Amino acid sequence: MAEERRQKQCSVILPTESMKAMAESVGVGQLQEESCVAISEEVSYRIKEIAQDALKFMHHGKRRKLTTSDIDNALKLKNVEPLYGFQSQEFIPFRFASGGGRELHFYEEREVDLSDIINTPLPRVPLDVSLKAHWLSIEGVQPAIPENPPPAPKEQQKAESTEPLKVAKPGQEEEAAIQGKSQGATAADGKGKEKGLIRLKPRSTHELSVEQQLYYKEITEACVGSCEAKRAEALQSIATDPGLYQMLPRFSTFISEGVRVNVVQNNLALLIYLMRMVKALMDNPTLYLEKYLHELIPAVVTCIVSKQLCLRPDVDNHWALRDFAARLMAQSCKTFSTTTNNIQSRITKTFTKSWLDDKTQWTTRYGCIAGLAELGPDVIKTLILPRLTVEGARIKAVMEGPVVSNIDKIGADHVQSLLLKHCASVIAKIRPQPDNVEQYRTDYGYLGPMLCSHVMKARTQAALQAQQVNRTTLTITQPRPTLSVSQSGLSGSTGPRTPSIIKVPSSLTLMSPRPGTPSQPSPPATKYIVMATSAGTATTQQVITLSSSQSASPVTSTVPSATSTLQPLVKLESGSGPGLTGSRPLQKYIVVSLPSSASSSLEILPCLVQLKTQGLFGLNVKG
Amino acid sequence: MAAVQGGLVDADEDKDIKTEASNDSWGNNNANDGRLLSPSPGSSASAGSNKSAAGASEEQQTLLAVLQFLRKNKLTESVEILRREAGLPEDSLEPKGAESSGAGSGGASGGVDLEGGDASSLLSRVTASSTAGAQAPTKGPIQSAAWLTDKLSHHSASCPTAKLTHSAGEDQPDVNVVLSAYSQQGDPALYEVYYSGLKRFIESVLDCHRAELSQVFYPLFVHMYLELVYNNHESEAKAFFEKFSGDQECYYEDDLRVLSSLTKKEHMRGNETLLDFRTSKFVLRISRDSYQLLKRHLQERQNNQIWNIIQEHLYIDIFDGMPRSKSQIDAMSGSLAGEAKREANKAKVYYGLLKEPEIELPLDDEDEEAENEEGKPKKKKPKKDSLGSKSKKQDPNAPSQNRIPLPELKDSDKLDKIMYMKEATKRIRLGPDNLPSICFYSFLNAYQGLTAVDFTDDSSLIAGGFADSTVRVWSVTPKKLRKVKSAADLNLIDKESDDVLERIMDEKTASESKILCGHSGPVYGISFSPDRNYLLSSSEDGTVRLWSLQTFTCLVGYKGHNYPVWDTQFSPHGYYFVSGGHDRVARLWATDHYQPLRMFSGHLADVTCTRFHPNSNYVATGSSDRTIRLWDVLNGNCVRIFTGHKGPIHALAFSPNGKFLASGATDGRVLLWDIGHGLMVGELKGHTDTIYSLRFSRDGEILASGSMDNTVRLWDATKAFDDLETDDFTAATGHIHLQDNSQELLLGTYMTKSTPVIHLHFTRRNLLLAAGAYNP
């Protein structure tokens, strides 16, 4: 491979067209082909030379990233006037344009109105350089403090789990890669001596220091306590603290035991709190939950399908808990499901089985359907849609038959709205227009007419969104944004191999005002950067749109169809703000989609689901 | 003319041999071999001067062959010139004519015609004719008779013009002007054949020789490629590069990248790297057996092309004994110009420490002092620390106290020494079971701009150099930084009072940090003076600046490097400092001289880091040419060249006892060197990125390394140096057997949170301080 690269090195020169274009730009027309070749060779060589010198400056600047100033310095070294105007620290703002078979990268120089500049308020002054000391190691042991990286390298946790993760958790790929590089790091952990010839799987001990025990006590008490502000803080800590590895088994047991007890006691509030803890644990990028799924998943599933979750099923809103837990389940399916553990198929089977059972109560039935529906449109299409007729008949029996019990009626009502909500958007995708009520009735039975109206609403909603996309910047002021991927028009189904891109109008920012609840600790600032690359010309488009939950029919996440070649990689980056001291940790989501031919598995979902749940549960998104 | 020309050649030849002989014992050998190599063109010159009958007829036959060839190609003009010059009769070109001329070489027969004319006119004639002869072949299609043109070229190479230019100096491009016009004109296609022929041969030799002979590949490859490029055989050069570049050792990849971008003759001008490669001989170390094998092969094949390159551009250091193994060779190779010559590391180095000045200690400290004396014998290595050094005798390896004039100790220095001793008594004894604590100083909001860091020896101040041309100084103790009052205010204070030193400070200026502005480019090197009164900074703008830490103003700008200055450091005794930069020269300065006292030149690429030896008598420099050189401050000589790194060197550290040197490079390896023996003694692998900082603990037991891979690693230095087997044989041959014991020596790895570690410092009590900029 190195050889290939070298060969490339040898032959790479700038295309002569570039020379022509540049010549034209300075007023030299009719450049001969030979001169172009000669010039391009010379220019290529000089560019390489300058790049090599610039690298020197990068190395001495003790950076990994080559900046424009390095190039300037390299030019100065050669006694060449530096390039002025390229001062960007982060990226070089080249824009790309193509047309008429020509491709062009250009530097956009906008005309700026001086009065605009004068009138715009000054940007914030960048923070001054400051110095902060912390203990990297105390007599050879690295303390688990936020300033240090998580004490247990993820690689070590990974090695302990049987199957290496195929789908890395959002935000972990990068760190895992770094960990992987510093293989020696793990070997040298502790005294660095334990590497013998015989490889024994080390027994993992989870000793908690006194501080950690106190922390555990505080956190768990806050999580299930009565003070909401404390709880938010505790959950925030669970979701971001890098040093929780040692406490993970305890947390896991706490949650599973807690669910066990509180289901029996029908304590809805506590169950909700525990589910939020699960959510926080899953949000923590430094934890590998794989080893504790056997405890967490049953707890979550319990909260989805349990017959009774609260003391007064007719009054309490246990449906919300089921919805939330179902989303958690879906998220963990996406994140942790591998070919070995088969979480998703096992879960699907479990849900389907109890759903198909006639004796199943409405509550459980609701849970099963919610659990399945959250798994995505494919599952809805294959498992839920065919059973709509049967389910409709059952609902009809309760709604229109003799009143058996109020509870049954409420249950049936909820199941009905759940089905409508989830199925409508899917049907809108797969069913061609026009929507005929009679047709729907024959296809879906009792639920048909209602579905029809929902589908029509969904269609208008989609059209609205398509319009919204045309705006370059979406500013969403509702505090509860939902992020959904929808396919505009008939796209996606046009062909099995159509490359698709996530098209985002040049910049996409999510804005929401500061949360209305001042009692909450400052929420993490979240930034979404959605980048998309695609090969060839895109014929279909998948659009990431942002819709608020206030819209007529909330559009749930619709992922590209299985035939799509899109395999997005979702990377979640989270870290503290610009400084270690940053009080408001900044969370960054980078969604990169790459066209690939292999599988239709969509890693984009966890992120989306995550966003949604985050929105629902009080965490606000701030651009 | 025969006498004149022959004499000239002879004299030159002899001189060459002599100089070579003085360089190494092998020079003579080489010259003799050259003679044996007939009918190789290289030897034809000496053969001609030999005047042996055989050599003469050989020469003539060659000439005749050339003439016949020219005639065949209808180059009558040049035939005529050549013939006339050689003094051959018209009919000599007939087949039987070979024997007709009784005279010896062309030059000799020329002498028959022109009886002893004056040399200069002759010279000019020869020059003219030979150039004409040279240009002529370019007109004709000559590819088929490559060897012939070869002869032609070397025939003319033996004539004085070529000789003169050659001896005129090492200005290779000029030589090439001459050489290229002849030798490599016709046969670019054969380069591949030659190279692959040699490759086949080396692959077929015995295993024990193969590794050694493989060393030849890289320099040969480069020179052949350059020759092709120089002679405008662009496509052939590319093909050659593509075909064989993959075979080269991976650590040459950076150089190959430079090479690959170079495809035009015009590019060679101004490309220093390549110029260096041409002008400096690539040094190889090969055992005698292997060398004989190579020589024999080249003789058999009459592979003159390769032989010429070997003779012209390679310096083969032959040793007797076992050929080295692949790993041994790999350990030492990797530098831009091959290994160091053995002679280069033979000079005596006074690596011992200077005797500490005697300082009266306050009485109450005597107890502690005594305690430490007792603790002393536990240590294995003799330490020449200030501790207990009073009783020690002068180290035989130490330079004499006044070898380099050092500044007198001031009262404040003595006070500081006392402080140092007090602190030292509280020092933690480090070891594998007693690792140091590490305190990490993160620079926040530095936005990738932190380029250099330094701590004062007493760890009270931190200085940071930034890409925005500023230097900032922080106080890490509660004591704030204060400026001295202005001159007007100073007049007002009572100079007789006891706390006058306190009074001169302006309380209003007290702050935790100060910014020093003055540079006009990124600050790459920074160094505190030992007395904490001054700070040095070196920058991209080509200057080194001296700042006062009393007034926080710039005192001097030292101009000398016209290019970026990558590093600078104060001598441990103050007063002197060293700087090194892109101009490939390290300079030694004294703070009170605006011009450098010494220029250390010899590196083939940028001097990337500079360090003073603890005794201030030596300076170590690391370079982008992947070598480390040790320079004698007294006379400016290079006394050690260490090769073995595979990337530019970015960190150097002397052990506190002055015996050892540690170096870190972009290849992520730390190498340990024995200065006295001039040997590599250890290799520490583990880092995955450039090492920017190295530091020994105060007692030399632990080596800490900080790297771009966001880790601090601790290594067991005691073990690394104790395990040495520096028997006489190793020392004599310089062959090292490195065990791969990095894992055993690694005592700890500490990850930072995305913060590259760019500086390390052991406090006087052996607490490790690290610094770097947080890059979220």
Side-chain angles (χ1 to χ4, degrees):
Chain A
M1 206 182 90
E3 213 166 323
E4 273 174 39
R5 212 174 49 230
R6 244 181 240 158
Q7 282 184 11
K8 264 189 202 147
Q9 284 165 12
C10 191
S11 57
V12 167
I13 54 165
L14 291 172
T16 50
E17 288 81 29
S18 300
M19 297 305 123
K20 279 202 181 115
M22 283 175 216
E24 278 167 26
S25 74
V26 293
V28 180
Q30 309 295 324
L31 208 59
Q32 302 236 323
E33 187 62 27
E34 294 98 74
S35 347
C36 278
V37 171
I39 292 174
S40 82
E41 278 177 1
E42 180 67 17
V43 168
S44 307
Y45 172 71
R46 296 295 162 196
I47 288 178
K48 283 176 191 172
E49 207 176 37
I50 284 163
Q52 275 158 8
D53 279 338
L55 270 182
K56 236 179 234 178
F57 283 95
M58 183 191 78
H59 275 299
H60 283 281
K62 297 169 172 94
R63 277 174 280 118
R64 277 205 197 85
K65 201 193 279 172
L66 192 75
T67 63
T68 46
S69 60
D70 291 331
I71 306 272
D72 285 349
N73 285 333
L75 286 169
K76 265 166 85 182
L77 212 60
K78 299 256 171 241
N79 238 343
V80 181
E81 190 87 343
L83 298 167
Y84 298 107
F86 294 92
Q87 295 302 338
S88 175
Q89 291 287 321
E90 283 302 311
F91 68 106
I92 301 168
F94 275 109
R95 294 203 47 191
F96 173 74
S98 63
R102 288 177 73 167
E103 295 180 333
L104 199 61
H105 291 267
F106 63 94
Y107 182 49
E108 193 178 40
E109 288 174 298
R110 277 201 213 106
E111 272 183 32
V112 187
D113 195 349
L114 268 181
S115 61
D116 279 358
I117 294 183
I118 294 164
N119 291 330
T120 45
L122 287 172
R124 268 195 314 164
V125 177
L127 293 169
D128 198 17
V129 184
S130 60
L131 204 56
K132 187 175 186 296
H134 72 267
W135 290 107
L136 185 67
S137 145
I138 296 169
E139 290 174 357
V141 183
Q142 196 164 24
I145 48 173
E147 285 87 352
N148 285 332
K154 235 158 291 97
E155 186 193 81
Q156 185 186 318
Q157 303 179 28
K158 205 175 184 178
E160 285 167 18
S161 62
T162 45
E163 169 84 7
L165 274 187
K166 286 270 167 51
V167 182
K169 285 176 69 173
Q172 282 183 353
E173 299 122 323
E174 194 180 62
E175 283 180 64
I178 292 169
Q179 303 276 1
K181 265 201 273 174
S182 54
Q183 194 107 28
T186 48
D189 233 17
K191 288 271 177 271
K193 294 264 163 80
E194 80 270 272
K195 282 273 157 174
L197 280 177
I198 307 156
R199 292 196 172 206
L200 286 177
K201 195 168 177 180
R203 178 186 308 213
S204 53
T205 52
H206 295 274
E207 287 167 16
L208 296 191
S209 63
V210 180
E211 293 84 2
Q212 282 175 316
Q213 287 172 23
L214 280 174
Y215 172 84
Y216 173 76
K217 192 164 154 275
E218 282 288 316
I219 288 283
T220 47
E221 275 173 7
C223 275
V224 296
S226 55
C227 177
E228 178 61 33
K230 262 193 176 177
R231 181 170 17 261
E233 226 168 306
L235 290 175
Q236 172 78 23
S237 172
I238 294 178
T240 53
D241 210 308
L244 294 184
Y245 171 63
Q246 291 289 322
M247 273 172 266
L248 198 47
R250 264 89 181 176
F251 278 129
S252 153
T253 316
F254 178 83
I255 290 165
S256 80
E257 286 297 313
V259 168
R260 198 170 299 174
V261 171
N262 287 301
V263 159
V264 174
Q265 297 187 342
N266 293 327
N267 193 336
L268 179 65
L270 277 180
L271 287 174
I272 291 176
Y273 299 153
L274 290 169
M275 283 304 105
R276 284 173 69 179
M277 270 182 86
V278 175
K279 163 96 182 77
L281 282 176
M282 287 176 74
D283 283 349
N284 192 324
T286 62
L287 294 178
Y288 262 160
L289 292 178
E290 275 77 354
K291 282 200 296 182
Y292 307 99
L293 288 180
H294 65 281
E295 283 188 318
L296 294 178
I297 286 187
V300 174
V301 173
T302 305
C303 288
I304 301 174
V305 299
S306 174
K307 264 184 268 181
Q308 198 179 352
L309 290 167
C310 50
L311 289 170
R312 296 162 300 165
D314 47 343
V315 187
D316 290 336
N317 187 8
H318 57 98
W319 313 105
L321 173 61
R322 291 177 201 275
D323 283 337
F324 180 55
R327 271 191 287 273
L328 272 184
M329 195 59 238
Q331 185 185 345
S332 43
C333 279
K334 300 296 178 214
T335 319
F336 306 116
S337 188
T338 61
T339 47
T340 321
N341 61 22
N342 263 333
I343 292 176
Q344 174 149 1
S345 67
R346 282 156 70 187
I347 289 292
T348 316
K349 243 176 252 166
T350 315
F351 285 147
T352 324
K353 201 176 146 203
S354 51
W355 184 26
L356 295 184
D357 193 343
D358 276 342
K359 295 187 201 86
T360 311
Q361 300 237 350
W362 283 107
T363 46
T364 309
R365 197 171 290 281
Y366 180 91
C368 293
I369 297 171
L372 287 173
E374 290 295 342
L375 290 174
D378 289 335
V379 178
I380 294 176
K381 201 166 84 183
T382 50
L383 291 176
I384 300 182
L385 291 190
R387 279 191 57 82
L388 274 181
T389 325
V390 184
E391 208 56 36
R394 201 192 302 272
I395 292 167
K396 190 181 176 187
V398 176
M399 303 291 260
E400 293 172 3
V403 177
V404 188
S405 84
N406 194 28
I407 293 175
D408 275 355
K409 191 154 177 151
I410 295 170
D413 192 37
H414 272 96
V415 169
Q416 179 183 324
S417 53
L418 178 76
L419 283 172
L420 291 177
K421 185 176 85 177
H422 285 297
C423 297
S425 56
V426 178
I427 291 173
K429 296 275 142 40
I430 58 171
R431 245 182 115 93
Q433 280 175 319
D435 301 314
N436 185 334
V437 179
E438 282 314 306
Q439 193 62 39
Y440 271 76
R441 191 190 297 281
T442 52
D443 285 355
Y444 304 115
Y446 171 72
L447 291 173
M450 281 176 278
L451 261 179
C452 182
S453 64
H454 270 88
V455 167
M456 285 195 281
K457 269 185 204 162
R459 286 198 208 278
T460 48
Q461 179 71 22
L464 261 178
Q465 279 171 5
Q467 282 175 0
Q468 270 184 337
V469 167
N470 293 336
R471 288 159 56 189
T472 47
T473 309
L474 293 177
T475 312
I476 288 148
T477 45
Q478 279 83 13
R480 296 162 64 193
T482 6
L483 183 64
S484 70
V485 177
S486 65
Q487 289 164 308
S488 60
L490 297 167
S491 59
S493 51
T494 45
R497 285 267 166 243
T498 43
S500 50
I501 54 163
I502 291 184
K503 186 189 161 199
V504 178
S506 63
S507 75
L508 178 96
T509 44
L510 287 170
M511 300 277 287
S512 72
R514 293 294 293 248
T517 49
S519 60
Q520 268 193 323
S522 57
T526 312
K527 205 192 238 172
Y528 300 91
I529 301 166
V530 184
M531 302 191 302
T533 57
S534 152
T537 49
T539 53
T540 62
Q541 293 170 350
Q542 281 158 339
V543 188
I544 283 195
T545 49
L546 299 149
S547 66
S548 76
S549 49
Q550 284 183 349
S551 23
S553 85
V555 178
T556 52
S557 62
T558 312
V559 294
S561 64
T563 54
S564 159
T565 54
L566 180 74
Q567 190 187 24
L569 295 171
V570 180
K571 204 168 77 173
L572 173 81
E573 267 188 4
S574 83
S576 327
L580 285 171
T581 44
S583 59
R584 285 175 51 225
L586 176 93
Q587 235 177 351
K588 245 188 207 170
Y589 293 84
I590 297 177
V591 185
V592 183
S593 83
L594 298 164
S596 107
S597 54
S599 80
S600 63
S601 71
L602 290 150
E603 291 93 325
I604 199 164
L605 247 199
C607 176
L608 300 180
V609 173
Q610 199 176 352
L611 294 175
K612 270 171 61 185
T613 47
Q614 229 173 33
L616 275 176
F617 276 73
L619 291 174
N620 283 284
V621 181
K622 180 107 174 81
Chain B
M1 174 178 174
V4 178
Q5 198 179 332
L8 255 178
V9 171
D10 223 350
D12 269 338
E13 205 70 25
D14 280 347
K15 208 162 55 191
D16 273 5
I17 289 166
K18 241 178 240 152
T19 46
E20 288 218 20
S22 62
N23 278 341
D24 68 322
S25 56
W26 166 77
N28 259 325
N29 236 335
N30 185 22
N32 291 331
D33 296 335
R35 255 161 230 156
L36 287 177
L37 248 183
S38 60
S40 94
S43 68
S44 62
S46 43
S49 60
N50 236 357
K51 295 200 171 58
S52 70
S57 69
E58 197 87 60
E59 181 92 17
Q60 191 174 8
Q61 272 170 8
T62 309
L63 189 68
L64 289 174
V66 171
L67 288 171
Q68 269 167 2
F69 172 76
L70 291 177
R71 171 174 286 187
K72 215 188 301 174
N73 283 292
K74 310 262 187 312
L75 297 165
T76 43
E77 195 184 23
S78 29
V79 170
E80 203 52 32
I81 292 167
L82 204 65
R83 195 189 52 74
R84 213 172 39 226
E85 190 257 312
L88 290 179
E90 284 279 0
D91 59 346
S92 66
L93 285 177
E94 302 310 319
K96 53 120 189 162
E99 274 84 49
S100 67
S101 170
S105 69
S109 49
V112 178
D113 295 345
L114 311 149
E115 55 274 6
D118 78 75
S120 61
S121 70
L122 269 177
L123 257 173
S124 61
R125 254 192 75 188
V126 172
T127 317
S129 64
S130 53
T131 36
Q135 278 151 6
T138 58
K139 296 171 200 154
I142 314 214
Q143 268 76 357
S144 60
W147 71 272
L148 250 177
T149 27
D150 238 53
K151 308 266 166 190
L152 177 64
S153 71
H154 286 284
H155 163 70
S156 41
S158 70
C159 79
T161 338
K163 201 69 218 178
L164 282 177
T165 11
H166 190 78
S167 55
E170 294 288 339
D171 202 359
Q172 285 297 330
D174 281 352
V175 178
N176 265 323
V177 170
V178 180
L179 279 185
S180 62
Y182 301 100
S183 58
Q184 287 84 31
Q185 195 57 285
D187 52 350
L190 283 181
Y191 274 64
E192 280 188 25
V193 178
Y194 286 142
Y195 190 86
S196 43
L198 186 74
K199 197 172 143 188
R200 264 199 308 281
F201 161 70
I202 289 178
E203 273 162 5
S204 67
V205 297
L206 287 175
D207 282 355
C208 59
H209 299 298
R210 192 183 306 150
E212 286 212 312
L213 293 180
S214 301
Q215 297 177 83
V216 179
F217 280 138
Y218 175 67
L220 262 187
F221 170 78
V222 176
H223 282 296
M224 288 170 97
Y225 177 76
L226 289 181
E227 263 175 14
L228 283 173
V229 170
Y230 192 86
N231 293 306
N232 293 323
H233 303 301
E234 199 180 323
S235 53
E236 284 90 349
K238 267 187 188 164
F240 184 77
F241 188 89
E242 271 172 37
K243 192 159 177 198
F244 299 113
S245 67
D247 302 344
Q248 308 307 327
E249 298 283 355
C250 54
Y251 39 79
Y252 292 121
E253 198 175 327
D254 283 348
D255 288 343
L256 290 179
R257 198 173 298 135
V258 179
L259 270 189
S260 71
S261 64
L262 181 130
T263 47
K264 289 246 188 296
K265 186 174 169 184
E266 295 78 48
H267 297 160
M268 289 175 88
R269 233 163 266 143
N271 194 326
E272 291 99 352
T273 324
L274 294 172
L275 223 60
D276 284 333
F277 207 91
R278 302 287 292 176
T279 51
S280 57
K281 287 195 172 185
F282 197 93
V283 181
L284 299 171
R285 224 179 263 182
I286 292 184
S287 72
R288 188 171 298 284
D289 293 349
S290 307
Y291 177 68
Q292 296 290 356
L293 236 112
L294 177 69
K295 201 171 69 183
R296 209 175 308 138
H297 167 75
L298 292 177
Q299 280 174 9
E300 279 167 12
R301 296 294 174 87
Q302 306 187 358
N303 209 336
N304 307 314
Q305 198 70 47
I306 287 177
W307 185 249
N308 280 333
I309 290 175
I310 288 178
Q311 283 199 311
E312 269 180 50
H313 299 297
L314 267 55
Y315 177 96
I316 299 188
D317 195 354
I318 295 181
F319 60 84
D320 291 302
M322 286 279 290
R324 294 188 296 170
S325 70
K326 174 92 174 123
S327 62
Q328 278 175 321
I329 291 168
D330 279 348
M332 300 296 287
S333 57
S335 111
L336 195 66
E339 295 180 42
K341 295 174 192 171
R342 269 175 299 162
E343 288 71 32
N345 288 336
K346 285 282 183 265
K348 163 89 175 151
V349 174
Y350 300 99
Y351 56 80
L353 299 185
L354 293 175
K355 222 167 110 187
E356 285 292 319
E358 302 204 1
I359 296 169
E360 295 287 325
L361 276 178
L363 244 163
D364 56 316
D365 284 321
E366 286 296 357
D367 295 355
E368 286 174 24
E369 183 72 356
E371 265 175 41
N372 225 276
E373 292 284 11
E374 287 162 20
K376 206 75 185 163
K378 283 181 202 158
K379 275 190 280 174
K380 268 191 165 176
K381 284 187 292 176
K383 288 294 143 32
K384 287 287 290 182
D385 287 347
S386 60
L387 283 181
S389 55
K390 288 184 211 164
S391 53
K392 288 253 168 69
K393 277 177 253 156
Q394 174 78 23
D395 187 337
N397 287 313
S400 63
Q401 206 71 12
N402 52 2
R403 189 165 178 266
I404 302 286
L406 292 172
E408 295 270 318
L409 280 186
K410 293 191 294 257
D411 284 350
S412 57
D413 297 331
K414 286 180 182 160
L415 272 174
D416 195 53
K417 286 260 188 263
I418 292 169
M419 279 303 293
Y420 175 75
M421 283 180 208
K422 278 187 186 168
E423 289 277 304
T425 56
K426 294 171 188 158
R427 183 182 292 164
I428 301 161
R429 176 126 311 144
L430 299 177
D433 301 321
N434 201 0
L435 294 175
S437 299
I438 307 171
C439 181
F440 200 97
Y441 285 92
S442 305
F443 286 78
L444 305 176
N445 311 315
Y447 306 108
Q448 307 249 334
L450 183 71
T451 43
V453 178
D454 195 32
F455 288 91
T456 52
D457 188 65
D458 68 349
S459 318
S460 63
L461 302 175
I462 297 183
F466 292 86
D468 62 3
S469 319
T470 59
V471 175
R472 285 161 192 258
V473 184
W474 279 268
S475 166
V476 290
T477 57
K479 206 175 144 195
K480 300 226 163 136
L481 298 173
R482 293 171 301 176
K483 283 185 193 171
V484 172
K485 286 178 183 164
S486 67
D489 291 340
L490 282 177
N491 266 334
L492 299 175
I493 60 167
D494 175 14
K495 276 137 195 127
E496 302 305 317
S497 73
D498 289 338
D499 58 346
V500 65
L501 287 177
E502 196 57 33
R503 289 191 181 200
I504 58 169
M505 293 312 206
D506 189 352
E507 212 48 54
K508 275 175 288 185
T509 57
S511 64
E512 275 186 7
S513 78
K514 294 267 183 236
I515 303 179
L516 306 174
C517 299
H519 281 295
S520 60
V523 179
Y524 290 118
I526 205 162
S527 174
F528 279 107
S529 72
D531 60 3
R532 296 188 298 286
N533 282 327
Y534 305 104
L535 176 72
L536 275 174
S537 63
S538 69
S539 159
E540 186 268 340
D541 62 14
T543 62
V544 179
R545 280 175 186 268
L546 183 74
W547 308 84
S548 162
L549 297 181
Q550 301 292 338
T551 60
F552 293 97
T553 51
C554 183
L555 301 177
V556 197
Y558 300 95
K559 292 170 185 168
H561 297 276
N562 285 323
Y563 291 102
V565 189
W566 297 130
D567 199 8
T568 185
Q569 202 214 2
F570 254 114
S571 135
H573 297 88
Y575 186 60
Y576 299 108
F577 66 93
V578 63
S579 67
H582 177 73
D583 58 3
R584 303 186 245 171
V585 177
R587 287 171 159 83
L588 181 87
W589 312 72
T591 47
D592 55 359
H593 287 65
Y594 68 92
Q595 279 179 327
L597 306 180
R598 297 278 182 277
M599 310 254 283
F600 305 119
S601 67
H603 277 299
L604 301 177
D606 304 31
V607 175
T608 50
C609 55
T610 52
R611 277 292 165 276
F612 256 100
H613 190 274
N615 67 19
S616 288
N617 277 261
Y618 296 92
V619 165
T621 56
S623 164
S624 299
D625 67 8
R626 306 187 286 272
T627 62
I628 298 153
R629 282 168 187 256
L630 192 71
W631 309 86
D632 193 337
V633 166
L634 183 67
N635 48 25
N637 287 339
C638 176
V639 288
R640 289 287 180 272
I641 303 175
F642 296 131
T643 62
H645 271 298
K646 320 288 187 237
I649 288 139
H650 277 277
L652 288 172
F654 282 97
S655 69
N657 60 8
K659 271 189 185 172
F660 302 103
L661 178 70
S663 61
T666 52
D667 57 7
R669 300 180 315 147
V670 177
L671 296 183
L672 304 173
W673 311 90
D674 182 331
I675 296 168
H677 294 102
L679 287 176
M680 189 196 295
V681 292
E683 180 188 15
L684 306 174
K685 282 188 271 193
H687 281 295
T688 54
D689 210 329
T690 310
I691 294 163
Y692 278 119
S693 181
L694 282 170
R695 199 53 78 104
F696 282 95
S697 67
R698 294 278 171 161
D699 295 328
E701 286 130 334
I702 300 265
L703 173 66
S705 59
S707 156
M708 196 71 188
D709 65 6
N710 302 343
T711 57
V712 174
R713 280 165 207 256
L714 301 178
W715 312 87
D716 191 342
T718 319
K719 197 172 168 196
F721 294 133
D722 277 357
D723 290 353
L724 283 182
E725 310 155 22
T726 40
D727 50 79
D728 293 338
F729 175 75
T730 321
T733 57
H735 301 168
I736 40 145
H737 299 270
L738 288 180
Q739 317 126 284
D740 190 13
N741 56 355
S742 299
Q743 284 308 315
E744 290 167 41
L745 296 175
L746 183 65
L747 297 177
T749 304
Y750 305 97
M751 282 285 284
T752 67
K753 205 167 172 180
S754 57
T755 310
V757 185
I758 64 171
H759 193 74
L760 292 168
H761 175 78
F762 275 97
T763 67
R764 291 171 174 178
R765 298 188 188 185
N766 265 340
L767 171 73
L768 180 58
L769 306 180
Y774 176 61
N775 283 332

